Amino acid sequence: MSVEDRPGEQAGGATVLLIEDDPQIAEEILAGLQREGYQTRHAASGTEGLQALRDLPPDLAIVDRTLPGIDGLTLIDTLHREGYTLPVLVLSALSSADERIKGLKAGGDDYLGKPFVMGELFARVEALLRRPSIAPETSLTVGPLTIDLITRKGLRDGREITLLPREFKLLEFMMRRPNQVLSRGMLLEQVWNHNPMRQSNLVNVHMGRLRHKVDGPGEGQLIKSVHGVGFILNDKP
Amino acid sequence: MISLSILRSAPVRLAFAFTIAVAALSAVLFGYVYEETARIETSSRRKYLESEARQAVLLPAPQLLELVKNRIATDLRRNSFEELIDADGHPVVGNLPSPPADLPFDGLAHRLTIATPENPLGREEVLLVARQRDDGAVVILGRDLDSVIALQEVMGKVLLHGIVPALILSLITGLFLAFKALERIKRLHVTIGRIMSGDLHERLPIVGSSDDLDRLAARINEMLDEIFDLIEDIRGVGDSIAHDLRSPLSLMRMRLERSMMESDALAARGIVAQALDDLDHMQGTINSLLRIAEIENARRIEFIKPTDLAEIAREVHDLFEPLADEKRITFSLAIDGPVIIEADADMLAEAIANIVDNAVKYTPAGGKVRIAVTQRAGVPLLQVHDSGLGIPASERSKVTQRYYRAGRTAKARGNGLGLSLVAAIVKLHGFQLHIADVPEGACVEIIAAPESIELTK
């Protein structure tokens, strides 16, 4: 698949505040976010960033972990204490193994290690802006696709799909986030609870099997790959 | 400057301290012998004088007078003193210029400095005893101490002649040993200087005396060997990394160059996409290295809690099952109820996933991979057994080293860091990583017990 498959328009003009002190990295990220249709603002230090956040809260903040002034994680603690609930994506050259990062992820925010693929950043920003539906439904429907959360069976246009437990888990995760790019890293982390450090074709193999069952012969493709990033489940082929 | 620095050196200081100690000890000994000689000599005279006085007072008066006179007449060497004083205190007969005022009439010998016929100025040390008779008269008897003093002088001379050379000798010996030690330390300094300036093959000289300095030098040499090995390892790692990054880099450069020349935009994009894949691979290598360094540098695990080893094995099996299936590898799981150990579940899963990833990668199509969780002698144990080419015994210790890839695996794409990461995680937990000897393929074990617990099959 090629790069155009990435559906950026869904960003819907949300405002993203980037707090990053490296001007070159900031420039690339800002340009990328604008291309994806986001309104962007930029702060070059922790102090400046906190001020900008208080002045006019954005829909989402991207915060570098090591910043001049107030460091990223302290800034987030301050925000949470002051009652702000906006989602935050932390960027860092440090690895994701430590305790505070685990806490961050548990609190609904996210973390991305540098260096990263731009598509991965967009996928995570999008995921944070569109928190998945967690309503206690008994079934989920995306376009021609329906899964029953109780019988754990799938249907596509009346055709029954038999799914292994792990395939069901993956499909459910994707159906709660339709039309949204899901990176391999996010899938490994969130579906299998696995550290996404290694470049591996594990996710591709799992997805290949699921796709084989969801998109039968003659049917249009609902699951598509997004080059260099991951996969997307569309509601229309 | 030089003399000052020598005074500051430990062996020289030790030599001086030793000499001072010898001198102090000699002085104490000298003083003791000197005093003791005089005391013994004096005390025999004392007893003799006291008994003479006791007998003298019992004699009848004329006989006593006769005795005193007789003693004075026969005392040619002038070394005894006699005086007879009547009841009114007047001297009757005697050879003392004046009776000493401070001598009590107690019949005990006293050491006094008085005037004598030979020494009228009153500078002679003598022993005197005074005893009163029943009729009130007092008998004073005495001896000079010339021979005692002479003995003491001789003793003093003898001891001085012995001690001074001994002190000089001990100082010379001490300094000799100190300078000898200094000489060795200087040689060590020179050698260390050479090592510090980059001559890593140089080793500290060993004299062969197996003394402290020799043992220390031998230990430092061992340390240098270890450091040298580590440096070689790091150099090897650096070379491997450079090599592994260079191939995708040059490939990437060629692709980007070609994409610049490509007139068709779509084709150019395709090439750029390939270049991005190369870049991702390099990034993966760097991330792995950083992750290993992070785990190796961690002192302790922050998120340790009771964890079910069997459950982790099941999850990893589930994750890799499709991948093994693609390669037509029979991938089985042997677990038997929960096995609870103290661990960081995420890290442990990462380690097990890496072992399984390796096993699946290096097992040829149609082979077998088996994960098993068991107990051996009551110790929980996870085994990943594959039917691949196996790891030769000579290479088993190496595969867990960072950036080692056994010859067999060179063809498979991977960055050779998998088992190093496993080794780092296992070590951080205080567990053992063991590559078991099996007839076919390889069997990697994580033993959830510290090194101290020996497990043999």
Side-chain angles (χ1 to χ4, degrees):
Chain A
M1 299 301 121
S2 73
V3 198
E4 305 97 290
D5 289 339
R6 193 188 299 140
E9 316 82 66
Q10 278 130 349
T15 309
V16 177
L17 171 66
L18 172 67
I19 310 175
E20 161 71 64
D21 56 327
D22 185 319
Q24 291 186 29
I25 290 178
E27 195 189 328
E28 286 300 324
I29 295 175
L30 290 171
L33 288 171
Q34 284 157 13
R35 208 167 50 241
E36 293 287 307
Y38 294 103
Q39 305 288 316
T40 59
R41 286 157 61 201
H42 175 227
S45 75
T47 341
E48 203 186 310
L50 194 60
Q51 199 50 52
L53 276 161
R54 285 174 179 148
D55 289 349
L56 184 65
D59 297 308
L60 176 131
I62 300 176
V63 181
D64 190 53
R65 188 169 170 179
T66 44
L67 285 169
I70 307 166
D71 88 273
L73 294 179
T74 313
L75 188 143
I76 293 165
D77 285 347
T78 313
L79 280 183
H80 288 172
R81 264 204 313 280
E82 290 178 10
Y84 291 92
T85 54
L86 77 161
V88 181
L89 175 62
V90 178
L91 302 179
S92 169
L94 305 170
S95 132
S96 61
D98 82 57
E99 223 38 43
R100 297 198 62 190
I101 297 307
K102 285 183 182 171
L104 199 70
K105 288 188 170 179
D109 295 322
D110 202 1
Y111 176 93
L112 187 57
K114 281 180 182 173
F116 49 83
V117 177
M118 225 23 131
E120 175 91 40
L121 177 81
F122 299 148
R124 293 199 185 238
V125 165
E126 200 186 347
L128 282 172
L129 283 170
R130 304 201 303 183
R131 301 239 160 121
S133 86
I134 45 158
E137 301 106 335
T138 55
S139 72
L140 293 170
T141 302
V142 174
L145 196 61
T146 304
I147 53 168
D148 188 318
L149 296 174
I150 293 157
T151 63
R152 305 189 84 78
K153 284 206 172 80
L155 276 179
R156 171 150 184 193
D157 292 324
R159 175 177 62 86
E160 194 174 308
I161 306 168
T162 318
L163 297 161
L164 292 173
R166 60 167 172 263
E167 291 162 349
F168 189 87
K169 199 162 95 178
L170 176 59
L171 186 58
E172 182 191 340
F173 184 85
M174 294 183 85
M175 287 182 76
R176 287 190 187 275
R177 295 158 185 82
N179 303 314
Q180 184 183 329
V181 177
L182 302 168
S183 74
R184 289 188 185 86
M186 287 162 69
L187 290 168
L188 268 176
E189 262 173 40
Q190 292 168 37
V191 179
W192 290 283
N193 192 27
H194 187 70
N195 190 325
M197 189 196 77
R198 284 165 311 112
Q199 289 295 322
S200 156
N201 58 344
L202 266 181
V203 179
N204 295 3
V205 175
H206 281 272
M207 198 60 81
R209 308 211 144 197
L210 179 64
R211 183 142 70 177
H212 191 69
K213 290 187 176 177
V214 170
D215 300 327
E219 294 170 339
Q221 276 198 346
L222 292 180
I223 298 175
K224 290 182 180 170
S225 41
V226 179
H227 184 85
V229 182
F231 299 89
I232 184 165
L233 174 71
N234 289 322
D235 56 358
K236 288 188 288 286
Chain B
M1 276 311 285
I2 291 166
S3 62
L4 264 182
S5 77
I6 278 178
L7 283 183
R8 241 181 280 128
S9 96
V12 172
R13 283 186 184 185
L14 214 62
F16 278 118
F18 180 68
T19 309
I20 288 168
V22 169
L25 192 69
S26 307
V28 169
L29 195 68
F30 174 90
Y32 178 73
V33 171
Y34 184 87
E35 284 303 316
E36 195 64 0
T37 314
R39 196 186 63 76
I40 289 168
E41 189 60 27
T42 317
S43 119
S44 66
R45 278 166 201 226
R46 240 179 240 274
K47 278 189 190 131
Y48 181 68
L49 273 180
E50 283 166 10
S51 104
E52 268 191 321
R54 247 191 326 274
Q55 284 162 15
V57 289
L58 297 176
L59 291 175
Q63 239 174 301
L64 177 63
L65 193 66
E66 201 54 37
L67 176 78
V68 171
K69 280 181 179 166
N70 200 22
R71 278 180 67 127
I72 293 170
T74 54
D75 178 26
L76 297 175
R77 285 186 295 159
R78 296 264 173 257
N79 55 6
S80 75
F81 310 104
E82 293 82 15
E83 191 81 29
L84 193 58
I85 298 165
D86 66 17
D88 302 327
H90 302 297
V92 181
V93 63
N95 59 1
L96 288 177
S98 61
D102 47 355
L103 180 68
F105 308 149
D106 55 2
L108 294 175
H110 295 276
R111 194 169 174 151
L112 295 172
T113 305
I114 54 157
T116 59
E118 281 177 318
N119 247 327
L121 293 174
R123 291 279 174 76
E124 193 164 359
E125 266 201 279
V126 296
L127 273 182
L128 289 179
V129 60
R131 215 180 173 102
Q132 202 158 26
R133 283 166 58 86
D134 291 340
D135 59 10
V138 173
V139 182
I140 297 175
L141 296 176
R143 292 280 294 183
D144 70 3
L145 287 166
D146 284 358
S147 63
V148 173
I149 289 161
L151 182 68
Q152 276 188 325
E153 273 169 12
V154 171
M155 283 299 297
K157 263 186 204 155
V158 167
L159 286 169
L160 270 177
H161 287 156
I163 280 171
V164 172
L167 279 182
I168 292 169
L169 198 68
S170 78
L171 187 63
I172 288 171
T173 313
L175 284 176
F176 172 72
L177 291 175
F179 280 103
K180 215 175 137 194
L182 268 185
E183 190 54 42
R184 281 175 71 190
I185 288 171
K186 217 164 93 188
R187 281 212 303 274
L188 293 181
H189 269 293
V190 171
T191 315
I192 288 170
R194 278 208 293 273
I195 294 167
M196 274 168 63
S197 63
D199 190 356
L200 291 172
H201 291 280
E202 190 72 54
R203 289 294 176 268
L204 299 183
I206 289 175
V207 185
S209 59
S210 65
D211 61 0
D212 292 341
L213 219 52
D214 246 17
R215 270 182 295 166
L216 186 66
R219 198 89 180 114
I220 290 173
N221 283 345
E222 276 173 39
M223 187 177 80
L224 286 170
D225 289 344
E226 191 72 16
I227 290 173
F228 187 70
D229 284 353
L230 280 174
I231 290 173
E232 286 291 290
D233 279 359
I234 291 166
R235 195 175 289 162
V237 168
D239 290 350
S240 321
I241 294 168
H243 184 79
D244 256 34
L245 292 182
R246 196 174 52 185
S247 318
L249 259 180
S250 49
L251 200 61
M252 200 172 87
R253 197 177 188 290
M254 285 190 284
R255 281 176 174 155
L256 288 174
E257 232 171 41
R258 189 154 60 88
S259 78
M260 290 267 292
M261 288 182 276
E262 185 62 64
S263 52
D264 178 20
L266 210 65
R269 276 192 182 175
I271 302 166
V272 172
Q274 282 181 319
L276 282 173
D277 270 351
D278 298 332
L279 192 67
D280 285 348
H281 175 62
M282 288 189 284
Q283 219 168 71
T285 303
I286 292 166
N287 284 349
S288 301
L289 281 169
L290 290 174
R291 175 86 175 124
I292 292 169
E294 185 186 32
I295 294 169
E296 279 179 348
N297 292 337
R299 294 276 158 78
R300 62 193 179 87
I301 311 161
E302 290 187 49
F303 208 64
I304 198 151
K305 62 177 196 307
T307 302
D308 184 359
L309 188 60
E311 176 58 20
I312 294 177
R314 204 190 54 71
E315 280 170 8
V316 173
H317 180 266
D318 202 43
L319 183 62
F320 281 90
E321 219 273 317
L323 196 67
D325 197 41
E326 296 266 293
K327 275 188 85 176
R328 287 182 292 109
I329 288 171
T330 312
F331 188 35
S332 60
L333 173 72
I335 51 175
D336 193 23
V339 175
I340 306 300
I341 58 171
E342 289 289 322
D344 178 324
D346 291 353
M347 270 199 201
L348 200 62
E350 194 179 338
I352 296 168
N354 268 286
I355 300 174
V356 172
D357 190 45
N358 265 307
V360 170
K361 203 181 284 170
Y362 301 136
T363 298
K368 283 182 201 154
V369 173
R370 180 171 181 269
I371 309 179
V373 175
T374 53
Q375 304 223 350
R376 190 187 298 157
V379 174
L381 174 81
L382 178 129
Q383 289 179 315
V384 178
H385 192 158
D386 70 64
S387 65
L389 289 176
I391 302 164
S394 58
E395 293 185 9
R396 274 179 204 150
S397 70
K398 288 190 198 152
V399 292
T400 57
Q401 280 170 15
R402 200 189 298 188
Y403 231 86
Y404 179 82
R405 197 155 43 185
R408 66 177 182 132
T409 66
K411 268 179 275 167
R413 185 175 167 126
N415 50 34
L417 291 168
L419 277 181
S420 317
L421 180 68
V422 176
I425 292 174
V426 167
K427 194 176 165 203
L428 186 62
H429 277 84
F431 295 163
Q432 298 176 53
L433 182 64
H434 185 224
I435 296 171
D437 203 10
V438 286
E440 59 156 20
C443 182
V444 180
E445 296 179 334
I446 293 179
I447 302 163
E451 285 287 348
S452 54
I453 297 179
E454 279 292 327
L455 287 175
T456 41
K457 271 199 163 168

